[in-house]
Amino acid sequence: MNAQLGYYLLWFALILSVYAGVAAISGSVTRDSRYHDSAIRAVYATFLVLVGAAGILVYAFLADDFSIEYVADHSSRVLPRFYAATGLWAGMEGSLTLWSLILAGLTAFAVYRNRVRARELIPWVIVTLSVVQVFFLLLQIFVAGPFERVSGLLPTDGRGMNPQLQNPGMAFHPPTLYIGYVGCAVPFAFGMAALVTNRLDDLWLRLTRRLTLLAWLFLSIGIMLGAWWAYVELGWGGYWAWDPVENASLLPWLTATAFLHSAMVQERRNMFKIWNMLLVFLTFFLSILGTFLTRSGFVQSVHSFAASSIGWYFIGFMVLILVAFLVLFLGRLPGLRSAGQIEAVLSKEASFVYNNWLLIAVLVVMLVGTFGEPISRALTGVATTFRGPYFNTLNIPLGILILVLTGICPAIAWRRATPANLKRNFVIPLVISTAFTAAVVITGYALGEVDLVASPAHRYAVLTFWSGAFVAVVVGIEFHKGARARRRSKGGSYPGALLSLFRLNSRRYGGYLVHLGVVCMFVGFAGNAFNSESQHVMKPGETVEAGRYSLTYAGKRDISRSTFAGIELNLRVSRGDRNLGTYGLQRRFYYREDQTTTEVAIRSTLLEDLYLILISLEEDGTAIIKARVNPLVSWVWLGSGLLVLGTLVALGTTPAERRGRA
Amino acid sequence: MTGAWKSSTVWVLCFLTWTFVEPAHGFPGMKTADRGSGSGAGTKAGQPGTLVEPPPGGTPPPATVAGIEALLAGSGTPRPLPESGPGVISVRVTDDVSEHPVLGGLDVILTAVLSGKVIGQEQAETDSEGRCAFRNLITESSVVYTATVIYQGVRYTHPSLTFPTDTTEADLEFQVYPSGPAPGKASIRGVHVILETLDTGKGVQVTEMLFIDNPEKRALVGGPEGIVTFALELPKTASHLEVGQGLQRDQISVGDGTLYYGGPLYPGDNKVLLSYHVTPAVGWTFQRRVSFPVEMFDVFVKESALRVVSQVLKGGEPLNMRGADFLRYHGGPFDPGSLISFRVDPAPTAMAAAGSGRTSAVPVAVMAALFASIFVALPILRPASSTGAKSDTALDAERRSLESERDRHLLAVSEIDMDFQDDKLGEDDYHRLRKRHKQAAMEAMRKLDSLPAADHPNFCTRCGKRLEPGDQFCARCGARITAGG
């Protein structure tokens, strides 16, 4: 019953989505609010229907209903139930259902929240989002159906889930990323509605600010979860490989970051309207592109892409939305031109422009690197490969410039920064950051860890440390100034004044926290310049040296679970006389999936990670291991946490909003 | 003896009439090591043994294999071992259980086989140290030797051996057990049945494995000839019976619908292995009435096209055994007298499983569609002239634009104040910009005030509740209702 009902529900959701769009247009054209209200109800009903469809699919996973091909392909009876439930997004078909569900939910939420205060925009928001929903539902019904039945005999068991996906990080990575992708559709829809209704003021921006920030937050979480998973699960010692699928998630994040910043300029100075319209479209377009890249197999092989029809449908849809946007955008271009202009090269507005261009530059680098290989292969027959060195060579300097801007922008004034103002706001940060960096370099040289002459990577790392310190001091001074002004006006303690800043202006100070998080992450990225790696052959009882650590072969054992069997090598880690604990390195064989995985052992501190990989373990106990020392990796995760915290603060309400004015 | 015979009948499982198609022969693919090897005897090539003088006089038979074959031509009876080679096989028999390390006076029979034919057989008696030797043996690799010891009615057979190249001496050790009447403490640990579709696709191969555990340190014997007997029934359409390792094949006999095993149960594991074909693969029934305790009874189905239907066997759980997929049904323990029965049916298909589901999905889908459609269509069913049918006007749009402009300039003023406090703005710029934005905000407010009075709003701007004409406060959230929203 389940599969058939799920299929019917998808059809019904399709009908409701089409109806919602048609009713919304009717209501807007005829100015009859009955159709308007009916369209809104259709949006709510679509969400409920898709909850049902997704619920049926999740239930099928939990109940081991292998009569459904999607369930048989991605689950098994011995799969832990938690991971069985995440099978919803284990493959393409279920991912499309998840996309539809999240889109329906966010549409219902956005419509509900704005059905009164944006009454003239809402119909066109519904139309835009319904078009997107119809596309994804058509894919599920006609191209990649999640409720397709197996033909012939009922399988006794499923094929299981890729063991590497059986990890908490990877369990949450797809849904967070999808909330981010789908979340980009809502501000785009409001932007399109603004173009259609010629409401080119900042209303659509203000209405979607929080939703945009939420989408950006989930994109950030999804990207970081993916990086963390790669670090702990894939066992190659790093967290970012500039893989096309990784890049796909970063593309909309870059434009969303630019959009979030330049939206502030439109709100404050009624400028950057063209930028914002283009950025919100690009963000949505790139989120569709990211979904396309992940699911179509295009970057793996143009041939595999061509063999599957879904890629062509995505391309068709992207062309459709591109054409629709361009028609509206070009038609409204005169109205989008700003009345005001940037008054000074050194001003907050100008720094946002530089920020936008730098992020666009990184985007171009990513697009060329991600699509260059399949396109060159298709056009010339020879693939031009773009790997880590290409991305690092171009993105590191751009990233450092963006980081510097992250420090300049908060401290620089709107409209024009005078020399006195610049001196007041930047001298101290420059001095402190330079002094700090000099101390780091001198210490590094003394320890033999830094070589600025011979190593370009070390030079970039030092630049990053300097930029990060600069930003941290600027942000610290901003907090101090705010707390000091607060105490002057209201009295109270210094910590109390600091905390009250978040309540008074959550957007600004939450943003500063986010910037601090970015600083921490860049510090972590810079640590890559000092990675070291060694490989050792060890016999039982032997001790080897890996950097400052001593690794002693403490023993080995067989391990056995219901889903896998394996071997574990135990290494005792010490530094000097200090015992740092025993760590287990494993190789596992998963029965159902017929796959072998490596489970690494990681000892993390703020200073560095000791990363241990088991390469092989022979019958006689001889082990080959790889030991990596990865400095500052923890700062990446710490910075991610700070970024999330800062965004949550920035999502808070302002006093004006609490009073009901805004 | 009568008691022992009666005891042996407890090993009878059940009876059914069946027919053999082919006589029992070696089980394909299985190693044919005889049970005697399980007692720990092994070949120790190269170790010297006690020499036995060759028989006085007489012409040794030809030393070549061809010569032996010629000698055998026309003869169907075993002859004495051809003594025309340098080979020596030394035999030692020990009894671990009784703490007598050696046994003497035992008959040891050495048989030589060439190309499947017995070419000679000789018997020797162990001395007081449990040793004897066979000399002048042909060492060519084509001649295979088998040694057998009979102790207290139990036959122990050593695995066949040949002389490796450049080796003329071999040692054989036998560890024997005292024997006693069955059943002792023996039990059936498990009965495992494996079903696999034949390559022809027209039947199923059934492989049965019985694991009989004898925990006693003596071989169990019974019956009038000192053997344990039990019978296995087969399905009516069984064919191609093959008996495998574990028990001495020469102790197997068939008749009256019964497969008899007549032999000892050795200490430790005793495995009975047999296989047969059943045609067709589905629709047949397997039955065993057990007259002794069975700890576990498994049926493993290797093909997903088959299903086992049984009231005493549960499961159907998938089992991945070293890369092969099985469906496992299991039951037990079973008391004596239990009937273990299962029927092999075709597996359900996905379409069949879906068939019943399709009919029940339709009503649910129809109901859901009905409710949702009513919910969605309700607003359209309202009369067009009701209070909720007011639409936006250009006036409303202009009002909202001015409100937005007012709010933006007021926000800019507060931001400028904050920037000035944070020393991000010079004093001259601060005063100039503040004045400009304040004037712009006041202009927007003046324009708002000059707009015609807005009609009474239809919805509360805070919570969205539909308002009645004349409402001054929202009934849901209490917000004050002002003209224009």
mmCIF file of all heavy atoms in Angstrom, chain A residues 19 33-34 38 41 149 152 202 267-268 410 413-415 421 478 481 508, chain B residues 318 320 325 350 354 375-376 380 382 388 404 408 415 419 422-424 433 437:
data_model
loop_
_atom_site.group_PDB
_atom_site.id
_atom_site.type_symbol
_atom_site.label_atom_id
_atom_site.label_comp_id
_atom_site.label_asym_id
_atom_site.label_seq_id
_atom_site.Cartn_x
_atom_site.Cartn_y
_atom_site.Cartn_z
ATOM 1 N N TYR A 19 -2.147 24.243 -9.305
ATOM 2 C CA TYR A 19 -3.321 25.040 -8.927
ATOM 3 C C TYR A 19 -2.908 26.293 -8.159
ATOM 4 O O TYR A 19 -3.437 27.384 -8.381
ATOM 5 C CB TYR A 19 -4.284 24.206 -8.073
ATOM 6 C CG TYR A 19 -5.425 25.026 -7.529
ATOM 7 C CD1 TYR A 19 -6.523 25.341 -8.323
ATOM 8 C CD2 TYR A 19 -5.367 25.537 -6.230
ATOM 9 C CE1 TYR A 19 -7.550 26.126 -7.840
ATOM 10 C CE2 TYR A 19 -6.387 26.328 -5.746
ATOM 11 C CZ TYR A 19 -7.476 26.620 -6.547
ATOM 12 O OH TYR A 19 -8.487 27.417 -6.063
ATOM 13 N N SER A 33 -9.557 38.434 -3.971
ATOM 14 C CA SER A 33 -8.775 37.804 -2.898
ATOM 15 C C SER A 33 -9.200 36.369 -2.630
ATOM 16 O O SER A 33 -8.499 35.631 -1.922
ATOM 17 C CB SER A 33 -8.883 38.616 -1.605
ATOM 18 O OG SER A 33 -10.204 38.529 -1.098
ATOM 19 N N ARG A 34 -10.340 35.935 -3.196
ATOM 20 C CA ARG A 34 -10.735 34.545 -2.964
ATOM 21 C C ARG A 34 -9.702 33.613 -3.587
ATOM 22 O O ARG A 34 -9.309 32.609 -2.991
ATOM 23 C CB ARG A 34 -12.117 34.282 -3.549
ATOM 24 C CG ARG A 34 -13.244 35.060 -2.857
ATOM 25 C CD ARG A 34 -14.583 34.783 -3.501
ATOM 26 N NE ARG A 34 -14.574 35.140 -4.926
ATOM 27 C CZ ARG A 34 -15.509 34.780 -5.780
ATOM 28 N NH1 ARG A 34 -16.520 34.030 -5.392
ATOM 29 N NH2 ARG A 34 -15.443 35.154 -7.044
ATOM 30 N N SER A 38 -7.207 31.068 -1.724
ATOM 31 C CA SER A 38 -7.222 29.666 -2.122
ATOM 32 C C SER A 38 -5.818 29.205 -2.501
ATOM 33 O O SER A 38 -5.410 28.085 -2.181
ATOM 34 C CB SER A 38 -8.184 29.461 -3.295
ATOM 35 O OG SER A 38 -8.234 28.094 -3.643
ATOM 36 N N ARG A 41 -3.900 28.515 0.596
ATOM 37 C CA ARG A 41 -4.289 27.226 1.185
ATOM 38 C C ARG A 41 -3.697 26.066 0.395
ATOM 39 O O ARG A 41 -3.343 25.027 0.972
ATOM 40 C CB ARG A 41 -5.800 27.111 1.229
ATOM 41 C CG ARG A 41 -6.419 27.999 2.286
ATOM 42 C CD ARG A 41 -7.907 27.818 2.360
ATOM 43 N NE ARG A 41 -8.472 28.573 3.467
ATOM 44 C CZ ARG A 41 -9.453 28.138 4.243
ATOM 45 N NH1 ARG A 41 -9.980 26.956 4.023
ATOM 46 N NH2 ARG A 41 -9.912 28.885 5.222
ATOM 47 N N ARG A 149 8.556 0.289 -7.883
ATOM 48 C CA ARG A 149 8.627 -1.048 -7.292
ATOM 49 C C ARG A 149 9.695 -1.871 -7.981
ATOM 50 O O ARG A 149 9.977 -1.670 -9.152
ATOM 51 C CB ARG A 149 7.286 -1.754 -7.465
ATOM 52 C CG ARG A 149 6.227 -1.182 -6.568
ATOM 53 C CD ARG A 149 5.122 -2.214 -6.342
ATOM 54 N NE ARG A 149 4.246 -1.765 -5.298
ATOM 55 C CZ ARG A 149 4.451 -2.015 -4.015
ATOM 56 N NH1 ARG A 149 5.504 -2.693 -3.644
ATOM 57 N NH2 ARG A 149 3.611 -1.588 -3.113
ATOM 58 N N GLY A 152 9.694 -8.251 -10.623
ATOM 59 C CA GLY A 152 9.999 -9.658 -10.391
ATOM 60 C C GLY A 152 9.957 -10.010 -8.919
ATOM 61 O O GLY A 152 9.067 -9.609 -8.190
ATOM 62 N N ASP A 202 13.209 48.258 -0.840
ATOM 63 C CA ASP A 202 13.878 47.194 -0.066
ATOM 64 C C ASP A 202 12.895 46.307 0.690
ATOM 65 O O ASP A 202 13.300 45.539 1.566
ATOM 66 C CB ASP A 202 14.860 47.819 0.916
ATOM 67 C CG ASP A 202 14.158 48.692 1.948
ATOM 68 O OD1 ASP A 202 12.977 49.047 1.708
ATOM 69 O OD2 ASP A 202 14.775 49.028 2.973
ATOM 70 N N GLU A 267 19.341 48.467 2.128
ATOM 71 C CA GLU A 267 18.472 48.892 3.233
ATOM 72 C C GLU A 267 18.878 50.254 3.765
ATOM 73 O O GLU A 267 18.035 51.072 4.108
ATOM 74 C CB GLU A 267 18.561 47.862 4.368
ATOM 75 C CG GLU A 267 17.805 46.568 4.096
ATOM 76 C CD GLU A 267 17.895 45.617 5.268
ATOM 77 O OE1 GLU A 267 17.693 46.056 6.416
ATOM 78 O OE2 GLU A 267 18.194 44.437 5.036
ATOM 79 N N ARG A 268 20.191 50.505 3.843
ATOM 80 C CA ARG A 268 20.652 51.755 4.450
ATOM 81 C C ARG A 268 20.628 52.913 3.461
ATOM 82 O O ARG A 268 20.253 54.013 3.800
ATOM 83 C CB ARG A 268 22.082 51.573 4.965
ATOM 84 C CG ARG A 268 22.189 50.773 6.239
ATOM 85 C CD ARG A 268 21.690 51.548 7.430
ATOM 86 N NE ARG A 268 22.497 52.732 7.646
ATOM 87 C CZ ARG A 268 23.573 52.781 8.425
ATOM 88 N NH1 ARG A 268 23.989 51.709 9.043
ATOM 89 N NH2 ARG A 268 24.240 53.911 8.571
ATOM 90 N N PRO A 410 33.861 46.418 9.213
ATOM 91 C CA PRO A 410 33.141 46.825 10.428
ATOM 92 C C PRO A 410 33.591 48.161 10.985
ATOM 93 O O PRO A 410 32.821 48.877 11.609
ATOM 94 C CB PRO A 410 33.448 45.683 11.420
ATOM 95 C CG PRO A 410 33.876 44.533 10.598
ATOM 96 C CD PRO A 410 34.550 45.129 9.415
ATOM 97 N N ALA A 413 33.642 53.804 8.093
ATOM 98 C CA ALA A 413 32.369 54.513 8.192
ATOM 99 C C ALA A 413 31.603 54.430 6.884
ATOM 100 O O ALA A 413 32.158 54.194 5.809
ATOM 101 C CB ALA A 413 32.622 55.965 8.553
ATOM 102 N N TRP A 414 30.302 54.668 7.016
ATOM 103 C CA TRP A 414 29.492 54.802 5.804
ATOM 104 C C TRP A 414 29.886 56.091 5.093
ATOM 105 O O TRP A 414 30.357 57.038 5.698
ATOM 106 C CB TRP A 414 28.005 54.879 6.187
ATOM 107 C CG TRP A 414 27.432 53.587 6.700
ATOM 108 C CD1 TRP A 414 27.293 53.222 7.996
ATOM 109 C CD2 TRP A 414 26.934 52.497 5.920
ATOM 110 N NE1 TRP A 414 26.733 51.972 8.089
ATOM 111 C CE2 TRP A 414 26.492 51.502 6.819
ATOM 112 C CE3 TRP A 414 26.796 52.262 4.554
ATOM 113 C CZ2 TRP A 414 25.943 50.291 6.394
ATOM 114 C CZ3 TRP A 414 26.242 51.049 4.132
ATOM 115 C CH2 TRP A 414 25.823 50.084 5.070
ATOM 116 N N ARG A 415 29.703 56.032 3.804
ATOM 117 C CA ARG A 415 29.874 57.192 2.920
ATOM 118 C C ARG A 415 31.320 57.625 2.720
ATOM 119 O O ARG A 415 31.785 57.711 1.610
ATOM 120 C CB ARG A 415 29.056 58.392 3.415
ATOM 121 C CG ARG A 415 27.579 58.166 3.218
ATOM 122 C CD ARG A 415 26.734 59.250 3.832
ATOM 123 N NE ARG A 415 25.338 58.959 3.536
ATOM 124 C CZ ARG A 415 24.615 58.004 4.131
ATOM 125 N NH1 ARG A 415 25.157 57.256 5.066
ATOM 126 N NH2 ARG A 415 23.379 57.817 3.784
ATOM 127 N N ASN A 421 39.617 59.397 10.897
ATOM 128 C CA ASN A 421 38.801 58.245 11.257
ATOM 129 C C ASN A 421 39.578 56.946 11.027
ATOM 130 O O ASN A 421 39.545 56.019 11.854
ATOM 131 C CB ASN A 421 37.507 58.293 10.438
ATOM 132 C CG ASN A 421 36.827 56.952 10.343
ATOM 133 O OD1 ASN A 421 36.906 56.271 9.309
ATOM 134 N ND2 ASN A 421 36.176 56.558 11.419
ATOM 135 N N GLU A 478 35.508 46.923 18.437
ATOM 136 C CA GLU A 478 34.091 47.248 18.220
ATOM 137 C C GLU A 478 33.258 46.851 19.424
ATOM 138 O O GLU A 478 32.387 47.600 19.867
ATOM 139 C CB GLU A 478 33.569 46.515 16.976
ATOM 140 C CG GLU A 478 34.087 47.044 15.664
ATOM 141 C CD GLU A 478 33.619 48.457 15.408
ATOM 142 O OE1 GLU A 478 32.398 48.707 15.442
ATOM 143 O OE2 GLU A 478 34.485 49.324 15.188
ATOM 144 N N LYS A 481 34.072 49.289 22.248
ATOM 145 C CA LYS A 481 33.451 50.607 22.064
ATOM 146 C C LYS A 481 31.972 50.553 22.383
ATOM 147 O O LYS A 481 31.422 51.443 23.039
ATOM 148 C CB LYS A 481 33.622 51.068 20.623
ATOM 149 C CG LYS A 481 34.971 51.608 20.266
ATOM 150 C CD LYS A 481 34.911 52.075 18.812
ATOM 151 C CE LYS A 481 36.275 52.438 18.315
ATOM 152 N NZ LYS A 481 36.253 52.705 16.867
ATOM 153 N N ARG A 508 24.190 43.383 14.104
ATOM 154 C CA ARG A 508 25.564 43.863 13.975
ATOM 155 C C ARG A 508 26.523 42.987 14.764
ATOM 156 O O ARG A 508 27.533 42.512 14.234
ATOM 157 C CB ARG A 508 25.656 45.303 14.453
ATOM 158 C CG ARG A 508 27.079 45.810 14.542
ATOM 159 C CD ARG A 508 27.146 47.178 15.110
ATOM 160 N NE ARG A 508 26.669 48.175 14.144
ATOM 161 C CZ ARG A 508 27.091 49.445 14.137
ATOM 162 N NH1 ARG A 508 27.970 49.848 15.006
ATOM 163 N NH2 ARG A 508 26.603 50.285 13.260
ATOM 164 N N PRO B 318 17.610 -12.783 6.446
ATOM 165 C CA PRO B 318 18.737 -12.921 5.524
ATOM 166 C C PRO B 318 20.030 -13.132 6.281
ATOM 167 O O PRO B 318 20.201 -12.630 7.370
ATOM 168 C CB PRO B 318 18.789 -11.581 4.792
ATOM 169 C CG PRO B 318 17.515 -10.907 5.135
ATOM 170 C CD PRO B 318 17.061 -11.457 6.447
ATOM 171 N N ASN B 320 24.236 -13.278 5.549
ATOM 172 C CA ASN B 320 25.323 -13.132 4.598
ATOM 173 C C ASN B 320 26.479 -13.969 5.108
ATOM 174 O O ASN B 320 27.126 -13.613 6.070
ATOM 175 C CB ASN B 320 25.726 -11.654 4.493
ATOM 176 C CG ASN B 320 26.724 -11.430 3.392
ATOM 177 O OD1 ASN B 320 27.651 -12.201 3.223
ATOM 178 N ND2 ASN B 320 26.531 -10.387 2.632
ATOM 179 N N ASP B 325 24.591 -15.039 -0.119
ATOM 180 C CA ASP B 325 23.376 -14.627 0.555
ATOM 181 C C ASP B 325 22.490 -15.828 0.796
ATOM 182 O O ASP B 325 22.208 -16.596 -0.106
ATOM 183 C CB ASP B 325 22.625 -13.611 -0.300
ATOM 184 C CG ASP B 325 23.310 -12.283 -0.249
ATOM 185 O OD1 ASP B 325 23.915 -11.977 0.789
ATOM 186 O OD2 ASP B 325 23.256 -11.561 -1.240
ATOM 187 N N ALA B 350 7.214 -8.975 -6.200
ATOM 188 C CA ALA B 350 6.917 -7.606 -5.798
ATOM 189 C C ALA B 350 5.548 -7.186 -6.299
ATOM 190 O O ALA B 350 4.798 -6.534 -5.594
ATOM 191 C CB ALA B 350 7.987 -6.665 -6.343
ATOM 192 N N ALA B 354 2.387 -5.985 -4.254
ATOM 193 C CA ALA B 354 1.818 -4.659 -4.477
ATOM 194 C C ALA B 354 0.349 -4.743 -4.783
ATOM 195 O O ALA B 354 -0.403 -3.819 -4.509
ATOM 196 C CB ALA B 354 2.542 -3.971 -5.638
ATOM 197 N N PHE B 375 -10.546 21.986 1.580
ATOM 198 C CA PHE B 375 -9.782 23.023 2.295
ATOM 199 C C PHE B 375 -9.323 24.108 1.335
ATOM 200 O O PHE B 375 -9.413 25.309 1.635
ATOM 201 C CB PHE B 375 -8.598 22.359 3.003
ATOM 202 C CG PHE B 375 -7.635 23.310 3.638
ATOM 203 C CD1 PHE B 375 -7.982 24.014 4.777
ATOM 204 C CD2 PHE B 375 -6.371 23.509 3.097
ATOM 205 C CE1 PHE B 375 -7.092 24.900 5.365
ATOM 206 C CE2 PHE B 375 -5.482 24.390 3.680
ATOM 207 C CZ PHE B 375 -5.835 25.078 4.818
ATOM 208 N N VAL B 376 -8.859 23.704 0.179
ATOM 209 C CA VAL B 376 -8.326 24.670 -0.784
ATOM 210 C C VAL B 376 -9.445 25.446 -1.456
ATOM 211 O O VAL B 376 -9.326 26.648 -1.719
ATOM 212 C CB VAL B 376 -7.459 23.924 -1.832
ATOM 213 C CG1 VAL B 376 -7.109 24.833 -2.999
ATOM 214 C CG2 VAL B 376 -6.195 23.386 -1.185
ATOM 215 N N ILE B 380 -12.939 30.037 -2.427
ATOM 216 C CA ILE B 380 -13.577 30.359 -3.703
ATOM 217 C C ILE B 380 -15.093 30.255 -3.573
ATOM 218 O O ILE B 380 -15.831 30.940 -4.304
ATOM 219 C CB ILE B 380 -13.059 29.412 -4.803
ATOM 220 C CG1 ILE B 380 -11.554 29.630 -4.958
ATOM 221 C CG2 ILE B 380 -13.774 29.626 -6.117
ATOM 222 C CD1 ILE B 380 -10.920 28.752 -5.992
ATOM 223 N N ARG B 382 -16.740 31.366 -1.219
ATOM 224 C CA ARG B 382 -17.287 32.583 -0.568
ATOM 225 C C ARG B 382 -17.907 33.455 -1.634
ATOM 226 O O ARG B 382 -17.407 33.505 -2.763
ATOM 227 C CB ARG B 382 -16.153 33.380 0.096
ATOM 228 C CG ARG B 382 -15.639 32.852 1.393
ATOM 229 C CD ARG B 382 -14.817 33.917 2.129
ATOM 230 N NE ARG B 382 -13.923 34.660 1.298
ATOM 231 C CZ ARG B 382 -12.584 34.571 1.351
ATOM 232 N NH1 ARG B 382 -12.020 33.702 2.151
ATOM 233 N NH2 ARG B 382 -11.840 35.331 0.571
ATOM 234 N N GLY B 388 -14.157 40.052 2.946
ATOM 235 C CA GLY B 388 -12.754 39.682 2.706
ATOM 236 C C GLY B 388 -12.289 39.969 1.299
ATOM 237 O O GLY B 388 -11.138 39.743 0.941
ATOM 238 N N SER B 404 7.977 52.491 4.113
ATOM 239 C CA SER B 404 9.295 51.859 3.982
ATOM 240 C C SER B 404 10.394 52.920 3.957
ATOM 241 O O SER B 404 11.436 52.777 4.598
ATOM 242 C CB SER B 404 9.322 51.017 2.711
ATOM 243 O OG SER B 404 10.627 50.589 2.432
ATOM 244 N N ARG B 408 13.326 53.459 6.701
ATOM 245 C CA ARG B 408 14.725 53.362 6.273
ATOM 246 C C ARG B 408 15.527 54.568 6.750
ATOM 247 O O ARG B 408 16.654 54.427 7.234
ATOM 248 C CB ARG B 408 14.786 53.244 4.747
ATOM 249 C CG ARG B 408 16.179 52.895 4.255
ATOM 250 C CD ARG B 408 16.212 52.645 2.748
ATOM 251 N NE ARG B 408 15.927 53.863 2.010
ATOM 252 C CZ ARG B 408 14.856 54.035 1.254
ATOM 253 N NH1 ARG B 408 13.971 53.078 1.133
ATOM 254 N NH2 ARG B 408 14.662 55.160 0.616
ATOM 255 N N GLU B 415 21.656 54.369 13.020
ATOM 256 C CA GLU B 415 22.958 53.803 12.661
ATOM 257 C C GLU B 415 24.038 54.892 12.657
ATOM 258 O O GLU B 415 25.160 54.671 13.098
ATOM 259 C CB GLU B 415 22.882 53.137 11.282
ATOM 260 C CG GLU B 415 22.079 51.849 11.239
ATOM 261 C CD GLU B 415 22.856 50.638 11.690
ATOM 262 O OE1 GLU B 415 24.094 50.747 11.875
ATOM 263 O OE2 GLU B 415 22.252 49.584 11.860
ATOM 264 N N ASP B 419 27.416 54.999 14.733
ATOM 265 C CA ASP B 419 28.719 55.150 14.085
ATOM 266 C C ASP B 419 29.476 56.336 14.679
ATOM 267 O O ASP B 419 30.704 56.279 14.852
ATOM 268 C CB ASP B 419 28.558 55.357 12.570
ATOM 269 C CG ASP B 419 28.243 54.059 11.848
ATOM 270 O OD1 ASP B 419 28.456 52.981 12.446
ATOM 271 O OD2 ASP B 419 27.789 54.109 10.677
ATOM 272 N N ASP B 422 30.900 55.429 17.856
ATOM 273 C CA ASP B 422 32.038 54.508 17.678
ATOM 274 C C ASP B 422 33.179 55.163 16.915
ATOM 275 O O ASP B 422 34.091 54.468 16.462
ATOM 276 C CB ASP B 422 31.584 53.269 16.910
ATOM 277 C CG ASP B 422 30.611 52.435 17.700
ATOM 278 O OD1 ASP B 422 30.534 52.634 18.937
ATOM 279 O OD2 ASP B 422 29.916 51.600 17.095
ATOM 280 N N ASP B 423 33.117 56.453 16.796
ATOM 281 C CA ASP B 423 34.191 57.200 16.110
ATOM 282 C C ASP B 423 34.387 56.759 14.678
ATOM 283 O O ASP B 423 35.494 56.789 14.155
ATOM 284 C CB ASP B 423 35.538 57.018 16.846
ATOM 285 C CG ASP B 423 35.508 57.679 18.202
ATOM 286 O OD1 ASP B 423 34.804 58.704 18.338
ATOM 287 O OD2 ASP B 423 36.167 57.162 19.121
ATOM 288 N N LYS B 424 33.309 56.318 14.038
ATOM 289 C CA LYS B 424 33.439 55.955 12.635
ATOM 290 C C LYS B 424 32.989 57.091 11.735
ATOM 291 O O LYS B 424 32.923 56.928 10.509
ATOM 292 C CB LYS B 424 32.574 54.728 12.341
ATOM 293 C CG LYS B 424 33.139 53.462 12.920
ATOM 294 C CD LYS B 424 32.240 52.290 12.568
ATOM 295 C CE LYS B 424 32.590 51.136 13.474
ATOM 296 N NZ LYS B 424 31.529 50.171 13.553
ATOM 297 N N LEU B 433 24.870 64.366 7.787
ATOM 298 C CA LEU B 433 24.123 63.182 7.360
ATOM 299 C C LEU B 433 22.874 62.995 8.226
ATOM 300 O O LEU B 433 21.808 62.620 7.716
ATOM 301 C CB LEU B 433 25.007 61.938 7.451
ATOM 302 C CG LEU B 433 26.141 61.871 6.434
ATOM 303 C CD1 LEU B 433 27.120 60.766 6.796
ATOM 304 C CD2 LEU B 433 25.599 61.651 5.035
ATOM 305 N N HIS B 437 19.016 62.763 6.704
ATOM 306 C CA HIS B 437 18.113 61.611 6.859
ATOM 307 C C HIS B 437 16.885 61.980 7.693
ATOM 308 O O HIS B 437 15.772 61.515 7.409
ATOM 309 C CB HIS B 437 18.855 60.442 7.513
ATOM 310 C CG HIS B 437 19.698 59.665 6.544
ATOM 311 N ND1 HIS B 437 19.159 58.863 5.564
ATOM 312 C CD2 HIS B 437 21.042 59.597 6.407
ATOM 313 C CE1 HIS B 437 20.142 58.329 4.859
ATOM 314 N NE2 HIS B 437 21.301 58.761 5.344
#
